[in-house]
Amino acid sequence: MQKPTLPKGTRDFGPVQMTRRNFIFDTIKSTFQQFGFLPLETPAMENLSVLMGKYGEEGDQLLFKILNNGLYEAKNKEAVKGAFEKSLQQAYTSDLVTERGLRYDLTVPFARYVVMNRNEIVFPFKRYQIQPVWRADRPQKGRYREFYQCDADVVGTNSLLCEAEIVCMMNEILGKLGIADFTIKVNHRKVLSALAEVIGAPGQEGPLCVAIDKLDKIGRTGVEKELSERGFSAEAIRKLEPVFNINGSFTENTAQLQTLFAQSATGQQGLAELSEVVSLVEAFGVQNSHLQFDVTLARGLSYYTGAIFEVKVNNVQIGSISGGGRYDNLTGSFGLPGVSGVGFSFGVDRIYDVMEELQLFPQWNATTTRVMLIGFDAAAQRYALPILRQLRQAGINSELYPDSAKLKKQLDYANSKGIPYVVLIGSNEMETGKLALKNMTTGEQQALSVTEIIKIVAG
RNA sequence: GAGGUUGUAGCUCAGCUGGUUAGAGCGCCUGAUUGUGGUUCAGGAGGUCGCGGGUUCGAACCCCGUCUCCCUCCCCA
């Protein structure tokens, strides 16, 4: 006999947690629908050829790969053995050993779906998707190996209205969840490219961002040190001066960068797009958009080409709870170029953790049962069955304690489940047809007909 | 991938420089009350001290290995 355990980084969700999670899911789902998004689900596993190379080198390493079934009876045993050993030594993938993996996010499977169904889809296509994803990360606070993402994406339009609507949805959803103090950080891939270009290190925005991103953690000197370690010249670092000093309003930041990007058409375009997004959000009439232009924001996912978003709840431990951006060529890598998309994703598990830390969950009762019937003996239990059916048909969630246990035990059960009403049925009740309805909160009890009980319990 | 930390009853945790039979609170079960829960009172059950090995007359405690939990870095939802 052994104690069962859960795989690292995975969790069970009990009734209480599920009640809370469903509240989050329902809030997100209804908002997505309000904005015209349609549901989609894709398989847990995808072919590795679909997943590999979409998330950068780090991402590839975090993919959960699925071992081919039937390996033991492989025709070419020696070759399989060799490939298997090789795959253990390094991040190497052989079709002989594995050709499928668990999805890493919902955006890439979505792009795959769009390409495969391009002829049936009406563009612009707006879909939402709420499913688990898997990453072979090392678990820690707010980080799991299996977690749920709630994505909303639009493909087939370049309109910045989509970006603006994303900001609106973020505000809407977090507002409904009761999360008030948060920041929606935005940046633009073109701004990052222009930054690298302007300081004389074109194409180096990757390492540049990784370093700058740590500004608030390790300070300016730390960043400069790291940049120099990453091979940036002193000259290049000196040119970053304005970036370090950026810490104003959206328009102030834009103005500063405008000067820096005087010679960069790319940079100008990125700034123009961001300004347009902000202007559109304002046009929607959103009072406080929580938007903040953050030049150091660099979403790791390599497929973003336009605006990038990240939502951080302030004064909590957890990192970002949502992220997204525009990707111009994701479907291109599957053979359908020219379809631009924008999307974003909520991390439900992190939202849950944040809400728990901020104590935003009401004292919900996981049970939805309104009334429980108690029969004193087998005859009474039988007598209760048509009544139970009557209650349920009246739309009242009800149950009957299935064992003929002692009254005390049955009441105890109802009490610990938080069931508000109980109907007691014994010989007296069966004779008169008047049942004893007990209010579990007040303890009051009265003899009533089934019709009267339905009336009271339903209210 | 690098580093740190934790593991004792269902849960939260005590357990002294190694020393008889490993404790508490909560929860659970039974009874006071054979037709009445949430309060109270009385009693009871429940532990391979994560796992494996070692040191010792003797190990929950010391040593080695291993797994696990949580955390930091990297990266990310």
Side-chain angles (χ1 to χ4, degrees), chain A residues 48 52 56-63 65 83-94 98:
Chain A
L48 277 177
M52 297 282 285
E57 213 176 303
E58 290 273 350
D60 283 356
Q61 286 175 7
L62 294 180
L63 285 173
K65 293 171 184 169
F84 187 74
E85 273 161 13
K86 198 174 169 189
S87 70
L88 290 177
Q89 284 161 18
Q90 49 184 293
Y92 162 86
T93 300
S94 164
T98 172

Short mmCIF file of all heavy atoms in Angstrom, two decimals, chain A residues 48 52 56-63 65 83-94 98, chain B residues 1:
data_model
loop_
_atom_site.label_atom_id
_atom_site.label_comp_id
_atom_site.label_asym_id
_atom_site.label_seq_id
_atom_site.Cartn_x
_atom_site.Cartn_y
_atom_site.Cartn_z
N LEU A 48 4.05 18.17 -32.12
CA LEU A 48 5.19 19.01 -31.73
C LEU A 48 5.56 20.00 -32.83
O LEU A 48 6.00 21.11 -32.55
CB LEU A 48 6.39 18.13 -31.38
CG LEU A 48 6.38 17.57 -29.95
CD1 LEU A 48 7.58 16.66 -29.74
CD2 LEU A 48 6.40 18.70 -28.93
N MET A 52 6.58 23.58 -31.50
CA MET A 52 8.01 23.92 -31.42
C MET A 52 8.33 25.20 -32.22
O MET A 52 7.81 25.42 -33.30
CB MET A 52 8.87 22.77 -31.96
CG MET A 52 8.77 21.48 -31.17
SD MET A 52 9.71 21.50 -29.66
CE MET A 52 11.36 21.30 -30.30
N GLY A 56 10.10 30.63 -28.56
CA GLY A 56 11.51 30.89 -28.29
C GLY A 56 12.16 29.67 -27.70
O GLY A 56 11.50 28.67 -27.40
N GLU A 57 13.44 29.77 -27.48
CA GLU A 57 14.22 28.63 -27.02
C GLU A 57 13.77 28.15 -25.65
O GLU A 57 13.56 26.96 -25.41
CB GLU A 57 15.69 29.03 -26.96
CG GLU A 57 16.65 27.90 -27.28
CD GLU A 57 18.09 28.41 -27.29
OE1 GLU A 57 18.38 29.34 -28.07
OE2 GLU A 57 18.89 27.89 -26.50
N GLU A 58 13.53 29.12 -24.73
CA GLU A 58 13.07 28.79 -23.38
C GLU A 58 11.78 28.00 -23.44
O GLU A 58 11.62 26.99 -22.76
CB GLU A 58 12.78 30.06 -22.59
CG GLU A 58 13.95 30.89 -22.20
CD GLU A 58 14.59 30.46 -20.87
OE1 GLU A 58 14.01 29.62 -20.16
OE2 GLU A 58 15.66 30.98 -20.58
N GLY A 59 10.87 28.51 -24.25
CA GLY A 59 9.56 27.90 -24.36
C GLY A 59 9.65 26.46 -24.84
O GLY A 59 8.98 25.59 -24.29
N ASP A 60 10.46 26.23 -25.82
CA ASP A 60 10.62 24.86 -26.34
C ASP A 60 11.03 23.91 -25.23
O ASP A 60 10.57 22.78 -25.16
CB ASP A 60 11.67 24.84 -27.46
CG ASP A 60 11.11 25.38 -28.78
OD1 ASP A 60 9.91 25.70 -28.82
OD2 ASP A 60 11.88 25.50 -29.74
N GLN A 61 11.90 24.39 -24.36
CA GLN A 61 12.39 23.53 -23.29
C GLN A 61 11.31 23.26 -22.24
O GLN A 61 11.40 22.29 -21.50
CB GLN A 61 13.61 24.17 -22.62
CG GLN A 61 14.84 24.06 -23.49
CD GLN A 61 16.03 24.80 -22.91
OE1 GLN A 61 15.97 25.28 -21.78
NE2 GLN A 61 17.09 24.89 -23.68
N LEU A 62 10.33 24.15 -22.16
CA LEU A 62 9.29 23.99 -21.15
C LEU A 62 8.10 23.17 -21.66
O LEU A 62 7.13 22.97 -20.96
CB LEU A 62 8.79 25.36 -20.69
CG LEU A 62 9.81 26.22 -19.93
CD1 LEU A 62 9.21 27.55 -19.53
CD2 LEU A 62 10.32 25.49 -18.70
N LEU A 63 8.18 22.71 -22.90
CA LEU A 63 7.10 21.90 -23.45
C LEU A 63 7.08 20.53 -22.80
O LEU A 63 8.13 19.90 -22.63
CB LEU A 63 7.30 21.72 -24.96
CG LEU A 63 6.99 22.90 -25.87
CD1 LEU A 63 7.42 22.57 -27.30
CD2 LEU A 63 5.52 23.25 -25.82
N LYS A 65 6.54 16.96 -23.46
CA LYS A 65 6.46 16.11 -24.64
C LYS A 65 5.86 14.77 -24.27
O LYS A 65 6.09 14.25 -23.18
CB LYS A 65 7.86 15.93 -25.22
CG LYS A 65 8.41 17.22 -25.78
CD LYS A 65 9.87 17.08 -26.15
CE LYS A 65 10.41 18.42 -26.62
NZ LYS A 65 11.88 18.37 -26.75
N ALA A 83 17.89 7.34 -30.32
CA ALA A 83 17.18 8.62 -30.30
C ALA A 83 16.71 8.94 -28.90
O ALA A 83 16.74 10.09 -28.46
CB ALA A 83 15.99 8.57 -31.26
N PHE A 84 16.28 7.91 -28.17
CA PHE A 84 15.78 8.11 -26.82
C PHE A 84 16.89 8.61 -25.90
O PHE A 84 16.72 9.57 -25.15
CB PHE A 84 15.20 6.80 -26.28
CG PHE A 84 14.52 6.96 -24.95
CD1 PHE A 84 13.28 7.57 -24.88
CD2 PHE A 84 15.11 6.52 -23.78
CE1 PHE A 84 12.64 7.73 -23.67
CE2 PHE A 84 14.47 6.68 -22.56
CZ PHE A 84 13.24 7.29 -22.51
N GLU A 85 18.05 7.95 -26.00
CA GLU A 85 19.17 8.36 -25.16
C GLU A 85 19.62 9.77 -25.49
O GLU A 85 19.94 10.57 -24.60
CB GLU A 85 20.33 7.37 -25.32
CG GLU A 85 20.17 6.21 -24.35
CD GLU A 85 20.99 4.99 -24.74
OE1 GLU A 85 21.87 5.11 -25.61
OE2 GLU A 85 20.72 3.92 -24.17
N LYS A 86 19.60 10.09 -26.76
CA LYS A 86 19.99 11.43 -27.17
C LYS A 86 19.02 12.47 -26.59
O LYS A 86 19.43 13.54 -26.14
CB LYS A 86 20.00 11.52 -28.70
CG LYS A 86 20.79 12.69 -29.25
CD LYS A 86 20.88 12.63 -30.75
CE LYS A 86 21.43 13.94 -31.31
NZ LYS A 86 21.33 14.00 -32.77
N SER A 87 17.73 12.11 -26.58
CA SER A 87 16.74 13.07 -26.10
C SER A 87 16.85 13.28 -24.60
O SER A 87 16.42 14.30 -24.08
CB SER A 87 15.33 12.59 -26.45
OG SER A 87 15.01 11.45 -25.68
N LEU A 88 17.42 12.32 -23.89
CA LEU A 88 17.61 12.48 -22.45
C LEU A 88 18.76 13.43 -22.15
O LEU A 88 18.79 14.09 -21.12
CB LEU A 88 17.90 11.12 -21.79
CG LEU A 88 16.73 10.14 -21.76
CD1 LEU A 88 17.17 8.83 -21.14
CD2 LEU A 88 15.56 10.72 -20.99
N GLN A 89 19.70 13.48 -23.05
CA GLN A 89 20.90 14.30 -22.80
C GLN A 89 20.66 15.77 -23.06
O GLN A 89 21.26 16.63 -22.44
CB GLN A 89 22.05 13.81 -23.69
CG GLN A 89 22.66 12.52 -23.18
CD GLN A 89 23.45 11.81 -24.26
OE1 GLN A 89 23.81 12.42 -25.26
NE2 GLN A 89 23.71 10.54 -24.06
N GLN A 90 19.80 16.08 -24.03
CA GLN A 90 19.61 17.48 -24.36
C GLN A 90 18.19 17.72 -24.85
O GLN A 90 17.43 16.78 -25.03
CB GLN A 90 20.61 17.88 -25.45
CG GLN A 90 20.61 16.91 -26.61
CD GLN A 90 21.66 17.25 -27.65
OE1 GLN A 90 21.57 18.26 -28.32
NE2 GLN A 90 22.67 16.40 -27.76
N ALA A 91 17.86 18.99 -25.03
CA ALA A 91 16.54 19.33 -25.53
C ALA A 91 16.50 18.98 -27.01
O ALA A 91 16.67 19.80 -27.89
CB ALA A 91 16.26 20.81 -25.35
N TYR A 92 16.29 17.71 -27.25
CA TYR A 92 16.33 17.20 -28.60
C TYR A 92 15.07 16.41 -28.84
O TYR A 92 14.58 15.70 -27.97
CB TYR A 92 17.58 16.31 -28.73
CG TYR A 92 17.58 15.36 -29.90
CD1 TYR A 92 18.02 15.78 -31.15
CD2 TYR A 92 17.17 14.05 -29.74
CE1 TYR A 92 18.05 14.91 -32.21
CE2 TYR A 92 17.19 13.16 -30.79
CZ TYR A 92 17.62 13.59 -32.03
OH TYR A 92 17.65 12.72 -33.07
N THR A 93 14.51 16.54 -30.01
CA THR A 93 13.26 15.85 -30.28
C THR A 93 13.39 14.95 -31.49
O THR A 93 13.82 15.39 -32.54
CB THR A 93 12.14 16.87 -30.54
OG1 THR A 93 12.00 17.67 -29.38
CG2 THR A 93 10.85 16.17 -30.81
N SER A 94 13.05 13.70 -31.31
CA SER A 94 13.06 12.78 -32.43
C SER A 94 11.67 12.20 -32.63
O SER A 94 11.00 11.83 -31.69
CB SER A 94 14.05 11.64 -32.16
OG SER A 94 13.79 10.57 -33.05
N THR A 98 9.12 10.93 -29.68
CA THR A 98 7.98 11.77 -29.36
C THR A 98 7.61 12.64 -30.55
O THR A 98 8.48 13.16 -31.24
CB THR A 98 8.26 12.66 -28.13
OG1 THR A 98 7.19 13.59 -27.97
CG2 THR A 98 9.55 13.43 -28.27
P G B 1 16.79 19.85 -14.72
OP1 G B 1 16.19 19.81 -16.04
OP2 G B 1 17.50 18.68 -14.18
"O5'" G B 1 17.83 21.05 -14.71
"C5'" G B 1 19.04 20.98 -15.47
"C4'" G B 1 19.70 22.33 -15.40
"O4'" G B 1 18.80 23.33 -15.95
"C3'" G B 1 19.99 22.84 -14.00
"O3'" G B 1 21.18 22.29 -13.46
"C2'" G B 1 20.09 24.34 -14.23
"O2'" G B 1 21.33 24.69 -14.80
"C1'" G B 1 18.96 24.56 -15.26
N9 G B 1 17.69 24.90 -14.61
C8 G B 1 16.55 24.15 -14.60
N7 G B 1 15.57 24.73 -13.94
C5 G B 1 16.12 25.93 -13.49
C6 G B 1 15.54 26.98 -12.72
O6 G B 1 14.39 27.04 -12.27
N1 G B 1 16.45 28.01 -12.49
C2 G B 1 17.74 28.03 -12.94
N2 G B 1 18.47 29.10 -12.61
N3 G B 1 18.29 27.05 -13.66
C4 G B 1 17.43 26.05 -13.89
#
